[in-house]
Amino acid sequence: MPMSRLDKIISDSGVATRRDAELLIRARRVTVDGVTATSGAQKLDLERATVAVDGAELPRTRFCYIMMNKPLGYVSATEDRMEKPVTDLLTGRYANLNLFPAGRLDKDAEGLLLLTNDGDFAHRVITPNKHVRKRYVISFDGTLTERDAAAFEQGITLADGTKCRSARLEIVGQGHAVVELHEGKYHQVKRMVASRGASVTALKRVAVGGLELDEALRAGEFRELTAEELGRVFVT
Ligand code: URA
């Protein structure tokens, strides 16, 4: 585990900003292994040391992993000059943890969005080489048939010539389907469906790897993943 500065550890935990962390230390409200800390520059390994603020221990894990039920109308970003970023929906200590979306859902799409401050984790979710499966429930205008499902399985070529990997299209009723992909190109589901002459009218992500959206979360709500759920993200 890398060594980090004490003030950074406190601010990463979300209990205070970096500046306020320094003030807490100066006010002698922070202890490291039971000893009152005197400097934010002190370096330590949070896996081994116990840091407490006002007697309350900071969690040992540096990283936080959130499942959000992204609502329509928000962009998958931490800031945007024109649009509302999903991170505006984070409240309490989660608003101070520097969380960012691990993957993206369009502004007019909803459903399971993972947010984290763990760059390696986000990379593993996003990179096509890791084959993390994403499942979407879609509504569409037009007609899709088993021939289109076979074309999805073969690998769709988009209008601009981009080749997609083999994907699953399951038509589940008039104008409704489930799509499963192992990659995340820009507007991919919409463009794959468009390449077959139909158009997506609604799109909801319901699973990432073996992790399903918690349907108890209403649009805009979020919660931390359990350790077991975190492992499920990479289950194929
Ligand atoms: N494919 C799309 O077209 N949009 C999304 O938001 C996700 C996948």
Side-chain angles (χ1 to χ4, degrees):
M1 189 79 178
M3 305 285 276
S4 293
R5 285 176 58 112
L6 178 58
D7 51 6
K8 182 168 183 331
I9 287 173
I10 295 171
S11 63
D12 283 352
S13 77
V15 300
T17 62
R18 190 87 170 246
R19 207 184 114 66
D20 289 344
E22 193 56 52
L23 296 177
L24 287 171
I25 293 163
R26 274 199 237 144
R28 304 180 62 79
R29 291 168 59 188
V30 178
T31 55
V32 176
D33 293 332
V35 178
T36 303
T38 52
S39 165
Q42 176 181 351
K43 291 221 166 168
L44 48 102
D45 176 350
L46 192 54
E47 293 253 294
R48 294 164 197 276
T50 301
V51 178
V53 175
D54 293 334
E57 265 182 43
L58 298 188
R60 277 173 193 278
T61 47
R62 287 189 308 146
F63 296 128
C64 179
Y65 307 89
I66 295 275
M67 161 193 305
M68 177 183 281
N69 185 1
K70 177 196 168 300
L72 300 173
Y74 282 78
V75 292
S76 301
T78 54
E79 51 190 56
D80 195 286
R81 284 200 309 155
M82 312 288 281
E83 309 286 355
K84 292 176 289 186
V86 284
T87 46
D88 277 8
L89 295 162
L90 296 170
T91 51
R93 79 180 194 95
Y94 298 105
N96 297 322
L97 291 180
N98 299 321
L99 300 175
F100 56 88
R104 45 168 297 143
L105 276 175
D106 296 336
K107 182 181 166 193
D108 61 357
E110 58 187 329
L112 176 52
L113 186 67
L114 298 174
L115 292 115
T116 184
N117 47 12
D118 179 347
D120 289 342
F121 171 82
H123 180 71
R124 286 207 291 152
V125 172
I126 297 163
T127 181
N129 303 338
K130 299 288 177 194
H131 302 284
V132 174
R133 176 169 40 99
K134 284 114 190 167
R135 188 160 79 242
Y136 302 87
V137 172
I138 63 165
S139 302
F140 60 91
D141 278 343
T143 309
L144 292 174
T145 66
E146 290 310 316
R147 282 173 68 113
D148 301 302
F152 267 56
E153 197 175 338
Q154 285 292 306
I156 294 276
T157 301
L158 301 176
D160 65 358
T162 306
K163 291 208 183 328
C164 299
R165 291 177 189 226
S166 174
R168 190 170 76 85
L169 169 70
E170 184 191 350
I171 298 139
V172 291
Q174 184 63 41
H176 302 285
V178 174
V179 176
E180 267 185 13
L181 307 180
H182 291 88
E183 53 189 347
K185 301 185 195 303
Y186 185 62
H187 292 334
Q188 186 165 351
V189 174
K190 292 172 186 164
R191 290 159 75 208
M192 287 171 82
V193 168
S195 79
R196 304 302 300 175
S199 65
V200 171
T201 55
L203 186 149
K204 179 175 185 176
R205 183 154 63 204
V206 293
V208 174
L211 176 70
E212 308 227 337
L213 175 65
D214 178 348
E215 293 289 349
L217 290 176
R218 284 176 302 191
E221 289 184 340
F222 64 89
R223 67 164 172 79
E224 264 188 73
L225 295 183
T226 64
E228 192 268 326
E229 286 175 327
L230 193 57
R232 258 194 260 154
V233 171
F234 299 107
V235 171
T236 50

